[in-house]
Amino acid sequence: DAGVTQSPTHLIKTRGQQVTLRCSPKSGHDTVSWYQQALGQGPQFIFQYYEEEERQRGNFPDRFSGHQFPNYSSELNVNALLLGDSALYLCASSRSRTGERDTQYFGPGTRLTVL
Amino acid sequence: DAKTTQPPSMDCAEGRAANLPCNHSTISGNEYVYWYRQIHSQGPQYIIHGLKNNETNEMASLIITEDRKSSTLILPHATLRDTAVYYCIVRVTNQGGKLIFGQGTELSVKP
């Protein structure tokens, strides 16, 4: 059973560019959450997708957007990249049941470097 | 802000039990205590969670005090591979249940 997968593993962009990160959830999971982890910090919640809609959002600007596809996979898009967007981007998947979100399982992350 | 307080670092001898404390004095009745760990530059790994009873699985045990204001994660026989940052998180599972990470405890297991 494949766990949560993310692509690409590493990415280098320059300021002002746009980037798309991808996530495939664990088998049987229908909810995807995205987190940003700056160096030396704990992960920070960006947003969560369920039934192809954004359900919760953390304190991130509109430059951060996402999408969930019918097969439950998800994309994170970041526009107008800033140096401060350099971080490890983590995807976590979980299973919804009767209005609750079950335990979140994380992927290995995408390391984004903005030059 | 994270609703938990953990010591920034701890050491443990290989083969001994590692006991990682966590304070969550403002926890609400419907909030669970979750533990994750993160080995350098990898994604966080789920360890265990509980509401009010003690829990045990193949990785660890979770002891929650009766007033639920603190908990302890126990790794019964620590190995070098248990060296990681351990995060204690309180989480409401309904309505999304986002995880709010603090700084965690950096556990160093030494030979």
Side-chain angles (χ1 to χ4, degrees), chain A residues 50-101:
Chain A
Y50 169 65
E51 290 186 332
E52 301 180 48
E53 290 189 16
E54 183 181 293
R55 299 291 176 170
Q56 258 194 328
R57 189 177 183 94
N59 189 25
F60 279 80
D62 292 344
R63 297 187 298 108
F64 290 77
S65 63
H67 187 77
Q68 186 179 35
F69 299 94
N71 67 353
Y72 309 120
S73 67
S74 176
E75 287 181 350
L76 164 66
N77 300 292
V78 186
N79 294 322
L81 284 167
L82 304 173
L83 295 179
D85 295 331
S86 294
L88 181 67
Y89 287 85
L90 296 159
C91 168
S93 75
S94 55
R95 177 176 55 101
S96 65
R97 52 185 176 88
T98 60
E100 293 190 357
R101 304 289 185 267

Side-chain angles (χ1 to χ4, degrees), chain A residues 35 37 48 101-102 104 106, chain B residues 36 38 44 91 93 96 99:
Chain A
Y35 294 80
Q37 185 173 24
Q48 182 182 82
R101 304 289 185 267
D102 212 336
Q104 294 185 18
F106 285 81
Chain B
Y36 284 80
Q38 188 172 27
R91 175 181 180 237
T93 61
L99 298 171

